[in-house]
Amino acid sequence: MTSWHSSYQRHLSLSAHMLFLVCSLLILMVLFALLRLLLLLYNMDLAAGMGLSDWQHAFITGLRFDLRVIAIICLPLVLGTLLPVTNNARRFYCVWLTLWSSLSVFLGLLELDFYREFHQRLNNLVFQYLKEDPATVMSMLWHGFPVLRYLVGWLVLTLLVFSLFRWIDRRTRFYCEKPTPQRARGLATRLMAFACVFLVDLALARGTFRSGPPLRWGDAFQGESLFANQLALNGVFTLSQAAIQHFSHSGEHAWVGLMPDAEAITLARDMLLTRDDQLIDAETAVIRRITQPPAAGMMPGVRNVVIILMESFAGRFVGALGGPEDITPNFDTLVGEGVLFTRFFSNGTHTHQGMFATMACFPNLPGYEYLMQQPEGAHQFSGLPRLLSARGYRDVYVYNGDFAWDNQFGFFRNQGMTTFIGRDDFIDPVFIDTTWGVSDQDVFDRALEELASMPEDRPFYALVQTLSNHTPYALPDPLPVSSVTGHDEQNEHLTAMRYSDWALGRFFRSARTYPWFNQTLFVIVGDHGFSSPLQLTDIDLLRFYVPMLMIAPGIQVQFGRERATVGTQVDVVPTIMGRFGEPQQHQCWGRDLLSLPSSAPGVGVIKPSGGSQMAAIVEGDLALVLTPGFGSRLYRYHLGSHPQAVAIQNQTVEETMQVQLEAYIQSATQALQNNTAGSGVLNP
């Protein structure tokens, strides 16, 4: 038998090559199946409630996605059936197959914690993190995940796979006396073999024998279990599709052209405009209007505004919303003096989406979910900075970390904010972690200093962004709160959430001693939720479920303790502005929730991160999840201490909500592309 390093002149027989091809395909099939099994075992808590049909769907449909990837990997071997294969070619095949197997193993190991964190297979987020500050990203990975263990496992598995391909190579070396193309019969045999193998490979690469498009991402979302649907996908496949979309921008227009523009604009206006709105510039802007808040909703004592955007403050674990145990005792106490919105959702699943939705009142859109870093983010939106700076307000933005992350400085500076306090502006903080910055208690202490130093001749607004409740959860030692136990891999996250809640309560106890406290409207809102074993709907609704609490003197007497009206972060700005009772010109893609009847169902549009075209509309206790080209699914959901969601059939409601969702996203997307999403000229 010819050694690996000897001269390669002899030709392997066609049967030897075909056997090597089949064995390689089987090895790759087993490899991807094992990676899927590993992902399942690592996230086994998500498999609760999966029935037999879910298991079958996950692994049978998963095999189809695996074969799509394997068919591409094996393409050089398919082409090799045309020509005599030498030992040199075999060496190339072994290296080629090992490289792809090694990459697949690396991505499979990466995906273990990626899925646990985001409840999604590998997607556009990978490329987004590669664009961020490398030092911060590497620090987050190093301190938050078992990097060394994964690297060792990757190396061992790569060597194992290489050895396996070499073993198959040695066992399938059958030589022919002469190159078969020298014989007409041999050439015909090779052509026939190539035609058959190529057709099989083409069918595998399509993943289906049906006419039309090949097997696609949405084909995995056929069952009731979100985890089973995601498990059916292949991480290499989803990442490659995300790369195509990311670098070609091919997904940006999937929600445009679904209906005539005039129809979409009319529907969007019907969703957003109220009797307090007077539409202006109707020919050039979708919802540019002048809003005259009702006098009954005015709060004369309110002069200042403080928005506190709480990192990963998931409504699922807030006690006042029915969350388990005692994770948020301070927030729960504050509920006693404010208005709590019990059906409030983030517009996205990442902080930067919560930032621009909350402050610029513009939604998270497919193709523009990284708006703060995209050219369209340079537009001037009619958010809180624009509306209040035109009225002479001073401002301050206090943040634990670096404002270069997510282009926060550039975005908010362009929107009209002027004063930024970031991680490099803290002197002798109580605690600073190596990844993100100072602790939440440092942020709140500095916020108090900044607010106390504001001149009394002008009102102010402030944005305070917390960060301690973010992986790798670096917290002060000793902790001022007890650690959370009994929640397995969520213990660290919930402990960080309890610490953030403690820092919030400490801030309010101190703020009450300042004269400006009783003149200030405080808005406490989560930037997004986080993953939990319970997954509601195809879009994982609990990742969007956050608390929104508004506190001001007399607000509970005026508006009650709770509101069940559905709202999202784009409703924050109009709800704040409605308390001043003054007319304002704006183009917010939300509404004043406190001017709506308390029984109003409310409506909100939400979208997950990661480049997916999936989006949802939530109205009352109904949620419709839609992905263009793959249809929709309607759910009736319930939050509180025992959240649940059940798929229901109601064609009339489903069609109505789908048209609303499509009209909203299409109109907002075109307003952004045409640079007509701003408020126009603002009068001080």
Side-chain angles (χ1 to χ4, degrees):
M1 184 176 293
T2 306
S3 69
W4 179 265
H5 296 287
S6 64
S7 174
Y8 307 101
Q9 301 297 329
R10 303 172 67 190
H11 295 87
L12 295 164
S13 67
L14 178 60
S15 59
H17 181 67
M18 295 291 288
L19 183 58
F20 179 77
L21 172 58
V22 171
C23 290
S24 299
L25 185 145
L26 292 174
I27 291 172
L28 291 172
M29 286 173 58
V30 171
L31 175 65
F32 281 118
L34 290 176
L35 291 176
R36 180 171 289 103
L37 180 62
L38 183 62
L39 181 64
L40 168 64
L41 295 175
Y42 195 79
N43 295 277
M44 195 64 187
D45 55 332
L46 301 176
M50 282 177 57
L52 178 60
S53 61
D54 294 319
W55 291 100
Q56 292 173 338
H57 170 64
F59 283 90
I60 294 176
T61 305
L63 175 61
R64 294 170 63 195
F65 277 100
D66 294 345
L67 288 172
R68 284 207 66 184
V69 176
I70 293 170
I72 303 300
I73 295 175
C74 291
L75 187 58
L77 281 72
V78 172
L79 296 176
T81 57
L82 278 173
L83 300 171
V85 175
T86 65
N87 289 340
N88 268 326
R90 270 290 179 84
R91 182 181 185 186
F92 166 76
Y93 293 148
C94 287
V95 172
W96 172 264
L97 293 168
T98 301
L99 288 176
W100 274 104
S101 300
S102 179
L103 175 62
S104 300
V105 169
F106 177 81
L107 295 178
L109 295 175
L110 174 68
E111 201 168 33
L112 297 178
D113 284 295
F114 185 92
Y115 190 85
R116 176 172 287 180
E117 181 71 20
F118 302 118
H119 283 183
Q120 298 179 61
R121 304 300 291 263
L122 295 174
N123 56 37
N124 222 333
L125 289 173
V126 174
F127 304 108
Q128 185 61 27
Y129 277 116
L130 291 175
K131 290 170 57 178
E132 297 288 358
D133 173 42
T136 301
V137 173
M138 292 303 298
S139 178
M140 178 177 64
L141 295 175
W142 182 261
H143 294 286
F145 305 99
V147 176
L148 282 179
R149 189 190 313 164
Y150 286 159
L151 289 176
V152 170
W154 175 44
L155 178 61
V156 170
L157 289 173
T158 297
L159 292 175
L160 180 63
V161 171
F162 176 72
S163 300
L164 188 55
F165 282 124
R166 285 285 294 116
W167 184 83
I168 295 297
D169 171 34
R170 293 191 182 97
R171 296 300 182 275
T172 58
R173 289 192 181 182
F174 314 130
Y175 296 95
C176 50
E177 295 300 324
K178 296 181 180 180
T180 53
Q182 292 182 3
R183 296 180 243 169
R185 183 179 300 177
L187 179 59
T189 301
R190 282 192 172 272
L191 289 174
M192 290 179 60
F194 170 74
C196 293
V197 172
F198 181 77
L199 289 175
V200 171
D201 194 66
L202 181 62
L204 295 180
R206 283 180 48 79
T208 179
F209 292 105
R210 71 189 178 199
S211 60
L215 186 72
R216 296 177 295 173
W217 171 90
D219 292 309
F221 286 77
Q222 303 298 323
E224 295 296 328
S225 170
L226 174 61
F227 184 45
N229 293 339
Q230 290 280 356
L231 201 61
L233 292 167
N234 176 292
V236 178
F237 171 81
T238 58
L239 187 62
S240 63
Q241 294 298 302
I244 294 171
Q245 180 179 314
H246 180 80
F247 293 108
S248 67
H249 307 287
S250 60
E252 291 183 2
H253 307 297
W255 287 84
V256 175
L258 298 176
M259 65 184 72
D261 292 345
E263 180 183 350
I265 291 172
T266 298
L267 288 168
R269 288 171 177 171
D270 289 342
M271 290 174 63
L272 296 171
L273 299 181
T274 70
R275 62 184 180 182
D276 303 317
D277 295 315
Q278 178 186 349
L279 192 65
I280 61 174
D281 300 333
E283 297 300 319
T284 58
V286 179
I287 51 168
R288 187 172 296 153
R289 62 211 191 259
I290 296 176
T291 299
Q292 174 60 68
M298 182 180 178
M299 301 188 68
V302 171
R303 185 169 182 257
N304 312 304
V305 178
V306 175
I307 295 180
I308 302 174
L309 200 59
M310 300 289 289
E311 170 67 43
S312 300
F313 214 65
R316 172 76 175 91
F317 298 100
V318 171
L321 294 173
E325 299 187 20
D326 193 26
I327 307 298
T328 60
N330 292 278
F331 181 90
D332 301 341
T333 299
L334 291 171
V335 168
E337 56 188 288
V339 179
L340 177 66
F341 292 83
T342 59
R343 284 181 180 163
F344 198 84
F345 301 92
S346 62
N347 287 95
T349 50
H350 271 72
T351 301
H352 54 90
Q353 293 151 1
M355 287 177 179
F356 68 70
T358 300
M359 295 297 288
C361 58
F362 194 80
N364 179 34
L365 299 174
Y368 297 99
E369 57 188 76
Y370 305 106
L371 183 61
M372 289 169 58
Q373 302 179 52
Q374 294 175 273
E376 291 80 5
H379 301 169
Q380 293 186 333
F381 301 95
S382 54
L384 203 66
R386 291 273 291 163
L387 293 171
L388 292 186
S389 62
R391 289 164 170 76
Y393 275 62
R394 296 182 184 273
D395 67 83
V396 64
Y397 182 2
V398 187
Y399 175 56
N400 314 54
D402 187 349
F403 282 109
W405 186 266
D406 290 325
N407 189 35
Q408 293 177 64
F409 180 81
F411 180 82
F412 285 107
R413 183 83 171 182
N414 184 57
Q415 298 308 313
M417 299 196 78
T418 61
T419 307
F420 298 83
I421 306 296
R423 66 177 294 169
D424 295 333
D425 299 305
F426 290 82
I427 300 174
D428 194 24
V430 172
F431 177 80
I432 183 168
D433 76 72
T434 56
T435 302
W436 294 116
V438 302
S439 68
D440 284 356
Q441 64 192 94
D442 289 302
V443 161
F444 281 123
D445 286 347
R446 183 59 180 270
L448 282 172
E449 292 179 20
E450 294 297 323
L451 298 180
S453 66
M454 290 286 186
E456 296 183 4
D457 61 328
R458 289 164 58 187
F460 63 78
Y461 73 95
L463 172 61
V464 182
Q465 165 74 48
T466 72
L467 194 53
S468 292
N469 191 21
H470 192 295
T471 180
Y473 315 117
L475 304 174
D477 187 15
L479 267 174
V481 296
S482 59
S483 298
V484 176
T485 58
H487 289 271
D488 300 324
E489 74 281 351
Q490 290 190 315
N491 287 336
E492 264 193 308
H493 206 158
L494 292 176
T495 298
M497 186 172 176
R498 178 178 283 175
Y499 166 72
S500 294
D501 173 78
W502 172 85
L504 175 69
R506 183 170 174 268
F507 167 77
F508 269 90
R509 286 191 292 273
S510 298
R512 294 181 197 282
T513 65
Y514 291 90
W516 48 262
F517 181 84
N518 288 324
Q519 299 176 321
T520 303
L521 172 63
F522 294 90
V523 181
I524 308 169
V525 60
D527 63 347
H528 53 78
F530 58 85
S531 300
S532 70
L534 183 60
Q535 302 177 72
L536 301 188
T537 77
D538 287 346
I539 206 168
D540 199 358
L541 196 62
L542 291 179
R543 284 187 59 82
F544 298 83
Y545 181 37
V546 295
M548 206 267 270
L549 175 65
M550 304 187 79
I551 299 174
I555 192 171
Q556 195 172 94
V557 174
Q558 193 168 351
F559 298 103
R561 182 186 177 98
E562 290 186 356
R563 289 289 178 109
T565 301
V566 168
T568 69
Q569 289 160 332
V570 293
D571 297 310
V572 170
V573 171
T575 304
I576 289 173
M577 297 305 297
R579 309 292 64 80
F580 295 115
E582 300 176 2
Q584 61 263 348
Q585 180 177 317
H586 66 98
Q587 193 173 185
C588 283
W589 288 80
R591 299 183 293 178
D592 177 0
L593 299 178
L594 292 178
S595 290
L596 299 175
S598 59
S599 59
V603 63
V605 172
I606 60 179
K607 185 210 172 296
S609 301
S612 163
Q613 294 298 306
M614 178 184 285
I617 181 171
V618 185
E619 189 166 357
D621 64 348
L622 299 176
L624 180 126
V625 182
L626 172 65
T627 303
F630 294 100
S632 60
R633 186 175 294 178
L634 180 66
Y635 296 88
R636 175 163 281 113
Y637 72 92
H638 173 74
L639 301 172
S641 56
H642 300 287
Q644 60 179 336
V646 178
I648 61 174
Q649 299 292 328
N650 189 320
Q651 185 174 355
T652 301
V653 172
E654 188 168 343
E655 289 176 354
T656 299
M657 293 181 69
Q658 177 171 335
V659 171
Q660 286 181 313
L661 176 60
E662 292 173 343
Y664 184 98
I665 294 181
Q666 177 173 317
S667 298
T669 300
Q670 291 183 321
L672 185 65
Q673 292 172 344
N674 298 333
N675 194 10
T676 59
S679 59
V681 178
L682 290 172
N683 296 316

